[in-house]
Amino acid sequence: DEVREWQLQISCYDDEQAFARLFRHFYEKMLNFCLRYVPVREAAEEIVSDVFVKLWNKRSDLGNISNLQVYLFVAVKNHSLNYLERNAL
């Protein structure tokens, strides 16, 4: 599937275009998911962006993730819960 293809291109070749496609593919879904936990849009946008930054920084490990969608949504959930704990919302 195309997500797996992007994942491998990013992991093996540091492919920024593949990363941009991955970002566009998942961003809105991840943002809407995050907003269920964190009702402040700016904070939710920052959380999702942080997840993508961390993903890019660890891109060499990307090929080892068997289900990237699950990985991304779990990361957003964990970041959201950490945000709520830090900010006591």
Side-chain angles (χ1 to χ4, degrees):
D1 79 38
E2 66 184 354
V3 170
R4 183 69 181 157
E5 180 72 25
W6 297 332
Q7 190 176 341
L8 294 175
Q9 289 172 333
I10 296 162
S11 174
C12 297
Y13 306 110
D14 297 338
D15 188 330
E16 293 179 23
Q17 289 182 332
F19 186 78
R21 286 192 285 279
L22 187 77
F23 180 88
R24 285 190 301 272
H25 182 78
F26 283 113
Y27 182 81
E28 282 298 320
K29 295 175 210 168
M30 290 169 62
L31 179 60
N32 289 330
F33 178 72
C34 188
L35 286 166
R36 295 180 191 172
Y37 294 93
V38 179
V40 180
R41 186 171 185 90
E42 294 79 17
E45 289 171 348
E46 188 171 326
I47 288 166
V48 173
S49 294
D50 285 350
V51 168
F52 276 109
V53 167
K54 288 181 180 182
L55 187 71
W56 178 256
N57 289 339
K58 295 184 176 193
R59 64 191 173 277
S60 62
D61 298 330
L62 217 52
N64 300 327
I65 299 170
S66 59
N67 188 327
L68 186 59
Q69 180 169 324
V70 170
Y71 178 89
L72 291 171
F73 281 83
V74 168
V76 167
K77 178 182 174 186
N78 290 339
H79 279 69
S80 298
L81 295 176
N82 290 340
Y83 172 87
L84 293 172
E85 190 175 302
R86 281 192 316 271
N87 294 284
L89 291 177

